[in-house]
Amino acid sequence: MDKSRSIPKIHVRYKRFQKEQRDIWESFCLIDFYSPKIKEAVKEDVFPQLTFDRIWNDSNKVVKKDDIYGALHSLSIKGNYRRTLLEAVLTFEDYITDLIQSVYLDIPGKLSSVNDDGSNTSGYQKLLKLVLNSTDKQEIIDKLVEEKIRSIFYGNPLDVFEKDKAKLEFGNYFKDNHANELKIYKKVVAMRNIVAHNNGRIDRKYIREADSDAELGRKVTIEREFLKEAIYVLSKFAAHATRLVVENVYKESISGKLGQAIKAFDKSC
């Protein structure tokens, strides 16, 4: 394991994640703030007439004011809120995936201690040990890492933090110190799932996972404060997950943007 190369890369990747989450929130605020003002400007003929160049038709479509109002309302109230939620969770999961990948590629032996569902067979374990002990193994290890990470996030991503499913040496840190944030994260994931896969319509799975008494079949409402809280929790989990990996796996100290973020999160508690 070459810590001298891994640690700087992890810090740089965290810095990029931090900027991505900040940009997602600021883009949401920009659209949320300016959409009503753009509607007023359209109403007062400040802007020129809009035309759409159609995808499957050669002729252009001149857009009426009422249609513009409706489109702007949909963008501000529906599209902007959904896009922000989906991008925030996607960016977070992409970052945690990269963090897990860094650890597994540096310490392939951790693969043998990670169970997909708690029921790995002895045959699989023997095969895995054979691969890890072979002389020409890098390509195989890369593929194993990809499959292992996919199985973790295709399951219940909450287990990464609540049960240390990825074996990143989190221990009980999140359960003991961030129980309320784990509940919020659980709701964020549940809401992301129904927005992405059920057009935002509440189903039994959402009610169960979000611990909600919401009306079955109703469209979920994404509130501004919920989005802000969601991005805060995702950012906090990413910072502490990275800190724990750096300190517990690599036995190094945090610094830079990561160190600043940890201090800021601890101060806000």
Side-chain angles (χ1 to χ4, degrees):
M1 176 175 56
D2 188 354
K3 291 189 295 186
S4 63
R5 295 183 60 185
S6 298
I7 296 301
K9 287 181 179 179
I10 289 174
H11 277 87
V12 169
R13 181 65 181 89
Y14 173 78
K15 183 179 178 180
R16 179 157 59 91
F17 161 79
Q18 189 184 55
K19 182 181 184 304
E20 288 172 344
Q21 289 292 62
R22 184 174 64 249
D23 289 347
I24 288 170
W25 175 247
E26 291 179 356
S27 294
F28 166 81
C29 292
L30 186 150
I31 295 173
D32 199 49
F33 178 80
Y34 279 110
S35 287
K37 294 173 173 52
I38 294 173
K39 286 175 67 177
E40 288 301 314
V42 170
K43 183 179 181 179
E44 296 172 6
D45 292 322
V46 174
F47 295 140
Q49 181 69 55
L50 172 66
T51 60
F52 289 148
D53 51 328
R54 297 181 179 181
I55 297 173
W56 52 83
N57 194 314
D58 291 337
S59 63
N60 293 335
K61 175 186 177 182
V62 178
V63 186
K64 298 177 182 178
K65 282 187 178 181
D66 288 345
D67 293 335
I68 295 174
Y69 298 154
L72 288 171
H73 178 78
S74 179
L75 173 65
S76 177
I77 302 302
K78 182 179 177 181
N80 191 30
Y81 282 67
R82 289 188 173 195
R83 176 197 61 80
T84 302
L85 176 66
L86 293 173
E87 284 194 11
V89 176
L90 177 64
T91 301
F92 172 74
E93 291 188 349
D94 187 49
Y95 173 72
I96 297 299
T97 294
D98 285 351
L99 186 64
I100 296 172
Q101 185 179 54
S102 295
V103 172
Y104 288 176
L105 290 177
D106 281 342
I107 315 172
K110 277 189 171 290
L111 287 167
S112 63
S113 64
V114 180
N115 293 339
D116 294 336
D117 56 7
S119 61
N120 273 342
T121 64
S122 59
Y124 172 80
Q125 289 292 332
K126 289 179 180 178
L127 175 61
L128 188 56
K129 288 180 180 178
L130 178 64
V131 170
L132 294 175
N133 292 328
S134 63
T135 55
D136 185 15
K137 63 185 180 182
Q138 190 57 52
E139 184 177 356
I140 302 175
I141 288 176
D142 289 346
K143 292 179 180 178
L144 284 171
V145 168
E146 290 176 6
E147 290 301 317
K148 189 64 66 175
I149 292 173
R150 186 177 294 112
S151 71
I152 290 171
F153 277 100
Y154 278 6
N156 183 3
L158 185 73
D159 289 345
V160 173
F161 305 96
E162 195 170 43
K163 300 179 181 179
D164 194 18
K165 184 177 180 179
K167 302 300 180 185
L168 298 182
E169 301 186 30
F170 293 164
N172 293 322
Y173 174 79
F174 289 98
K175 287 173 62 177
D176 292 345
N177 298 281
H178 302 292
N180 289 333
E181 286 95 336
L182 282 171
K183 292 179 182 178
I184 295 169
Y185 177 54
K186 187 175 182 180
K187 184 175 180 180
V188 169
V189 172
M191 189 171 290
R192 185 281 305 268
N193 289 341
I194 65 165
V195 168
H197 305 299
N198 203 36
N199 195 27
R201 200 169 297 280
I202 294 170
D203 56 16
R204 289 181 177 82
K205 189 171 186 287
Y206 171 82
I207 293 174
R208 182 176 66 255
E209 292 182 350
D211 192 22
S212 170
D213 58 357
E215 180 184 348
L216 189 67
R218 183 177 62 83
K219 285 288 187 76
V220 72
T221 300
I222 305 174
E223 303 287 351
R224 179 190 175 95
E225 284 306 308
F226 173 76
L227 276 180
K228 188 175 182 179
E229 187 175 46
I231 293 176
Y232 175 84
V233 168
L234 294 175
S235 300
K236 189 174 189 176
F237 275 22
H240 279 293
T242 309
R243 175 185 64 80
L244 290 167
V245 165
V246 170
E247 293 177 348
N248 296 342
V249 176
Y250 291 95
K251 310 301 179 183
E252 293 285 340
S253 300
I254 59 173
S255 61
K257 292 292 185 181
L258 176 58
Q260 294 170 18
I262 292 296
K263 288 180 181 178
F265 285 127
D266 288 347
K267 189 180 295 185
S268 66
C269 292

